[in-house]
């Protein structure tokens, strides 16, 4: 009732004009995509002799293939390119490592945007490729921190003589929105458990609390040291040299020649010279130089179908956890998927790939119950953690037989909160005066128009405390840890994968491949197993349009839709009020290496 009522009150003010504009824009861009596809008649590439795998670090990297979802926010940002998946990139590097037609790997740096665990996984895959003895070259006009972290694993790394390195370390910027909400007459009542459970802070405060800042300082410091150690090792720098260089210099203002003198790159050359190097390596001229994409190479190692025997199922749980909705982890879709895998005799074990900051407590509990059903079938169940497996993301992981995390995974955040919106001042600004009649003191609770009174707040706190105790108990039993130990490391605090290992929140550091191998061994199928990836990916209409139009479609969209700011604020405000008020979710941050 709460969600439906709010949509009637608030969304009706903006829904009509957004819908009308959306229909017009969609029609225009479908036409643009079709026109662009008509001119796309290039020869179909193939992996022939003396090919080079071309890994272009640009845009966002998602966990696995998913249908493109287009909405107002997508139009406003112009972000309609088909994203590359980590699964495709890693699979292509594995395949290329042993493919005799592929001579080398070329990494082109062009502004990648991905979580730190994702970049670390990709970097590890590059280092594994190097074991084949094949050369790895990397080049960039400009090198961002994410680009450089991956490219520093190359045998030879080059930068444009007129380029620079935009390297600043690890940071995140969290928007504290209370003052904005005050201006529009929107307020929130927050009820939480955990000193470090800071997910509600951006909505009820104007600045970051000391506990929130302290935990981020610690986790970022650990991760940055890990990253710097890897770069120091790959570039043969003295221990601590890279971190010192970043601390003492505004790297983006330093010349390419300076970067070379500091041994951060091997040379300063133009892109055409990089092409000539690749030609000499393969013995080809520019016209016959064959750079093949990860998508093409990845097709050579297609995943097992759902009917293959001795199967280890990899099930992706990516995004925020919700009861229903587009995108993210929808428990209404994921729960049936888990039960099908449990009942499938071909599936001998499960790896749940979690990349989630958490979300709905109800949704998390439904997924956890389905995973318990899977375990009841006597099949091994492991969790592989990606960039995030925090709060609700940890809730659904805690019962696994074994948990694997990347050193740069952000996990923990064991805690829950309640966030209740109030629009009383907003509707008063609009000249609306809500009047209610009820037969009981709590007849209007929860309401968008009345903040909870003292008695209701007390009962809310008891309810949240009960949910927190349930979370603690789940972790204690699932991880076989004492309740006192779990309470000591909970309080909503987030941890990096390395610290989580020491705290026994995870069992082992390693990626998806390691967790798959563990499940296969535990299931007693050794090396004789196939891997099935779920949910099964089926391209949608927008995927076909975007793929046919390539970058022409994206560029056309950007040129037509430029004003993203108002759309972002509107979308976030609507999203907050639509949410189930009881959440197990970490602080809403995007951690980036810069």
């Amino acid at each position: 009732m709460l969600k439906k009522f709010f949509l009637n009150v608030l969304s009706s003010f903006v829904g009509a004009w957004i819908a009308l504009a959306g229909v017009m824009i969609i029609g225009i861009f479908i036409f643009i995509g079709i026109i662009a596809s008509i001119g796309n008649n290039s020869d179909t590439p193939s992996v022939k002799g003396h090919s080079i795998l071309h890994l272009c670090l640009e845009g966002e990297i998602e966990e696995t293939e998913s249908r493109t979802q287009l909405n107002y926010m997508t139009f406003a940002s112009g972000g309609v390119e088909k994203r590359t998946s980590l699964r495709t990139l890693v699979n292509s590097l594995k395949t290329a490592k042993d493919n005799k037609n592929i001579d080398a790997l070329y990494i082109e740096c062009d502004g990648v945007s991905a979580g730190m665990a994702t970049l670390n996984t990709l970097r590890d895959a590059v280092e594994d490729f190097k074991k084949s003895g094949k050369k790895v070259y990397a080049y960039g006009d400009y090198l961002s921190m994410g680009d450089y972290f991956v490219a520093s694993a190359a045998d030879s790394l080059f930068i444009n003589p007129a380029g620079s390195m935009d390297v600043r370390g690890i940071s995140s910027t969290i928007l504290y929105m209370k003052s904005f909400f005050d201006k529009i007459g929107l307020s929130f009542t927050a009820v939480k458990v955990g000193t470090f459970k800071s997910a509600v802070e951006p909505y009820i405060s104007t600045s970051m609390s000391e506990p929130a800042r302290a935990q981020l300082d610690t986790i970022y410091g650990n991760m940055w040291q890990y990253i710097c150690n890897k770069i120091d090792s790959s570039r043969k720098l003295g221990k601590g040299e890279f971190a010192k260089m970043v601390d003492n210099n505004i790297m983006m203002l330093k010349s390419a020649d300076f970067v070379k003198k500091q041994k951060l790159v091997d040379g300063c050359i133009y892109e055409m010279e990089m092409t000539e190097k690749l030609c000499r390596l393969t013995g080809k001229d520019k016209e016959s130089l064959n750079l093949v994409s990860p998508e093409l190479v990845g097709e050579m190692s297609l995943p097992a179908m759902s009917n293959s025997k001795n199967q280890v199922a990899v099930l992706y749980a990516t995004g925020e956890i919700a009861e229903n909705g587009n995108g993210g982890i929808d428990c209404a879709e994921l729960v049936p998927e888990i039960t099908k895998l449990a009942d499938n005799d071909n599936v001998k074990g499960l790896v749940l790939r979690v990349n989630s900051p958490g979300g709905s407590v109800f949704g998390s509990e439904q997924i956890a119950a389905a995973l318990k059903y899977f375990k009841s079938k006597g099949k091994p169940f492991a969790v592989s953690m990606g960039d995030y497996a925090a709060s609700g993301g940890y809730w659904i992981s805690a019962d696994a037989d074994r948990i694997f995390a990347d050193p740069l995974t952000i996990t923990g955040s064991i805690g829950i909160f309640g966030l209740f919106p109030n629009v009383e001042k907003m509707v008063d600004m609009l000249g609306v005066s809500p009047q209610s009649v009820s037969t009981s003191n709590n007849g209007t609770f929860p309401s968008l128009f009345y903040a909870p009174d003292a008695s209701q707040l007390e009962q809310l706190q008891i309810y949240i405390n009960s949910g927190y105790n349930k979370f603690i108990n789940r972790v204690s039993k699932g991880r076989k840890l004492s309740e006192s130990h779990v309470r000591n490391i909970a309080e909503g605090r987030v941890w990096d994968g390395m610290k989580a290992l020491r705290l026994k929140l995870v069992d082992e550091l390693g990626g998806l491949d390691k967790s798959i191998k563990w499940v296969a061994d535990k299931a007693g199928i050794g090396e004789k197993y196939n891997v099935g990836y779920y949910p099964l990916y089926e391209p949608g209409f927008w995927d076909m349009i975007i793929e046919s139009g390539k970058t022409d479609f994206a560029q056309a969209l950007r040129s037509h839709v430029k004003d993203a700011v108002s759309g972002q604020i509107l979308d976030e405000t609507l999203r907050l009020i639509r949410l189930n008020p009881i959440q197990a979710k970490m602080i809403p941050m995007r951690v980036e290496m810069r």
Side-chain angles (χ1 to χ4, degrees):
M1 291 295 292
L2 180 67
K3 298 177 188 176
K4 291 181 180 178
F5 182 74
F6 175 76
L7 290 177
N8 288 334
V9 173
L10 185 60
S11 297
S12 60
F13 291 117
V14 295
W17 69 264
I18 289 179
L20 180 60
V23 169
M24 294 175 64
I25 292 172
I26 287 172
I28 291 170
F29 293 120
I30 288 176
F31 177 74
I32 293 173
I34 294 172
I35 294 300
S37 68
I38 295 173
N40 188 19
N41 294 318
S42 58
D43 295 333
T44 302
S46 61
V47 183
K48 48 195 174 187
H50 300 294
S51 294
I52 293 177
L53 176 60
H54 181 204
L55 174 59
C56 188
L57 298 177
E58 66 173 347
E60 294 191 30
I61 300 176
E62 58 185 11
E63 272 288 339
T64 187
E65 292 76 12
S66 62
R67 284 195 175 195
T68 300
Q69 301 287 338
L70 290 189
N71 51 32
Y72 177 83
M73 283 290 293
T74 310
F75 283 125
S77 64
V80 296
E81 297 97 333
K82 183 63 180 173
R83 296 175 181 175
T84 304
S85 75
L86 180 62
R87 179 177 131 197
T88 295
L89 296 177
V90 171
N91 282 346
S92 69
L93 285 164
K94 283 187 207 169
T95 304
K97 177 184 175 183
D98 300 320
N99 190 305
K100 294 180 180 179
N101 287 334
I102 295 179
D103 289 354
L105 169 65
Y106 172 45
I107 302 173
E108 184 180 0
C109 302
D110 195 20
V112 69
S113 175
M116 290 184 291
T118 293
L119 294 173
N120 194 42
T121 299
L122 184 55
R123 191 183 197 277
D124 286 345
V126 171
E127 290 184 327
D128 182 65
F129 176 90
K130 288 172 64 176
K131 294 176 183 177
S132 66
K134 299 176 182 180
K135 290 292 184 182
V136 179
Y137 286 100
Y139 169 85
D141 290 332
Y142 298 91
L143 299 174
S144 69
M145 186 65 239
D147 292 333
Y148 187 72
F149 181 49
V150 177
S152 63
D155 295 306
S156 300
L157 171 56
F158 303 95
I159 190 172
N160 191 299
S164 63
M165 283 181 61
D166 186 7
V167 174
R168 290 171 268 168
I170 297 175
S171 68
S172 65
T173 299
I174 301 164
L175 300 179
Y176 281 69
M177 303 175 68
K178 183 180 183 302
S179 294
F180 165 72
F181 291 147
D182 288 344
K183 290 178 181 179
I184 65 171
L186 174 63
S187 62
F188 291 90
T189 299
V191 184
K192 70 184 182 78
V193 179
T195 303
F196 297 92
K197 196 63 180 177
S198 48
V200 297
E201 286 187 1
Y203 315 121
I204 62 173
S205 303
T206 56
S207 62
M208 188 179 293
S209 69
E210 285 306 312
R213 187 173 296 278
Q215 70 170 334
L216 294 183
D217 280 341
T218 300
I219 195 173
Y220 290 176
N222 293 341
M223 296 167 123
W224 182 235
Q225 183 177 13
Y226 174 90
I227 290 163
C228 291
N229 288 344
K230 274 203 161 186
I231 292 173
D232 285 339
S233 177
S234 294
R235 295 302 307 169
K236 296 180 174 57
L237 305 173
K239 187 174 182 180
E241 283 299 310
F242 181 73
K244 189 185 302 183
M245 209 173 302
V246 174
D247 277 342
N248 295 337
N249 297 280
I250 302 177
M251 295 299 295
M252 66 186 297
L253 302 181
K254 298 298 181 180
S255 67
D257 189 56
F258 173 86
V259 170
K260 179 186 175 183
K261 287 179 180 178
Q262 301 304 314
K263 300 181 180 178
L264 298 181
V265 300
D266 296 292
C268 302
I269 63 176
Y270 294 100
E271 188 174 6
M272 55 188 170
E273 294 175 270
M274 186 70 246
T275 302
E276 290 171 356
K277 282 183 177 290
L278 298 178
C279 288
R280 287 194 296 271
L281 176 68
T282 58
K284 300 286 186 179
D285 56 28
K286 293 180 183 179
E287 286 70 27
S288 59
L289 181 65
N290 193 38
L291 301 180
V292 292
S293 70
E295 288 77 15
L296 178 62
V297 176
E299 288 177 1
M300 302 168 67
S301 57
L302 292 173
M305 299 303 291
S306 58
N307 59 355
S308 62
K309 296 181 178 179
N310 283 347
Q311 183 183 155
V312 175
V314 175
L315 177 63
Y316 284 87
T318 303
E320 290 191 20
I321 301 171
E323 293 113 77
N324 50 64
N326 294 324
I329 305 171
D330 185 349
C331 71
E333 294 180 357
L334 195 64
V335 167
E337 196 79 37
I338 295 169
T339 55
K340 285 179 187 176
L341 295 175
D343 296 333
N344 187 341
D345 291 336
N346 291 330
V347 173
K348 307 303 181 184
L350 171 68
V351 175
L352 184 69
R353 176 66 174 180
V354 179
N355 197 340
S356 172
S360 164
V361 170
F362 179 85
S364 299
E365 178 60 18
Q366 306 315 300
I367 295 167
L371 291 168
K372 185 176 181 180
Y373 174 74
F374 184 93
K375 287 182 67 177
S376 73
K377 297 293 184 176
K379 302 178 182 181
F381 157 47
V383 162
S384 172
M385 294 179 167
D387 295 315
Y388 306 94
S391 206
Y394 195 82
W395 186 301
I396 66 177
S397 302
D399 281 335
D401 297 315
R402 196 162 186 83
I403 298 178
F404 296 80
D406 187 272
L408 301 182
T409 292
I410 295 176
T411 188
S413 192
I414 300 168
I416 69 172
F417 65 86
L419 192 66
F420 297 85
N422 181 280
V423 298
E424 185 177 4
K425 291 183 179 179
M426 180 188 294
V427 296
D428 183 62
M429 293 176 185
L430 298 173
V432 177
S433 179
Q435 301 292 308
S436 301
V437 178
S438 176
T439 59
S440 63
N441 293 334
N442 300 309
T444 59
F445 177 84
S447 171
L448 280 172
F449 304 117
Y450 311 108
D453 61 28
S455 172
Q456 291 165 344
L457 278 174
E458 182 180 0
Q459 293 179 66
L460 273 174
Q461 190 65 62
I462 292 171
Y463 181 76
I464 296 298
N465 289 347
S466 174
Y468 180 66
N469 291 333
K470 185 176 182 179
F471 200 166
I472 294 289
N473 184 258
R474 171 174 293 281
V475 175
S476 176
K477 287 184 176 179
R479 302 299 303 147
K480 297 180 175 58
L481 299 170
S482 69
E483 186 174 308
S484 60
H485 174 74
V486 176
R487 287 189 182 279
N488 188 47
I489 62 177
E491 292 285 332
R493 183 159 190 164
V494 293
W495 309 97
D496 58 84
M498 297 169 287
K499 183 65 174 179
L501 177 65
R502 294 194 288 273
L503 295 174
K504 299 183 179 180
L505 288 174
V506 304
D507 297 294
E508 195 170 340
L509 296 181
L512 184 58
D513 286 346
K514 203 170 187 179
S515 59
I516 292 171
K517 181 67 168 61
W518 184 89
V519 168
D521 289 342
K522 196 73 173 176
I525 53 180
E527 301 295 328
K528 299 178 181 179
Y529 65 89
N530 296 305
V531 181
Y533 295 94
Y534 300 88
L536 297 175
Y537 169 64
E538 296 179 1
F541 172 74
W542 282 111
D543 298 296
M544 292 184 286
I545 290 292
I546 293 169
E547 181 61 25
S548 66
K550 301 293 183 183
T551 57
D552 293 337
F553 179 66
Q555 289 168 357
L557 185 53
R558 286 196 186 93
S559 67
H560 281 75
V561 187
K562 298 177 181 178
D563 183 15
V565 176
S566 60
Q568 289 175 350
I569 294 173
L570 174 64
D571 191 80
E572 175 66 5
T573 303
L574 290 172
R575 187 190 67 81
L576 282 172
I577 303 178
R578 288 190 180 112
L579 282 177
N580 185 313
I582 309 302
Q583 295 277 308
K585 186 178 171 186
M586 64 179 281
I587 189 167
M589 62 181 181
R590 179 177 177 84
V591 185
E592 296 181 342
M593 288 189 286
R594 292 183 174 179

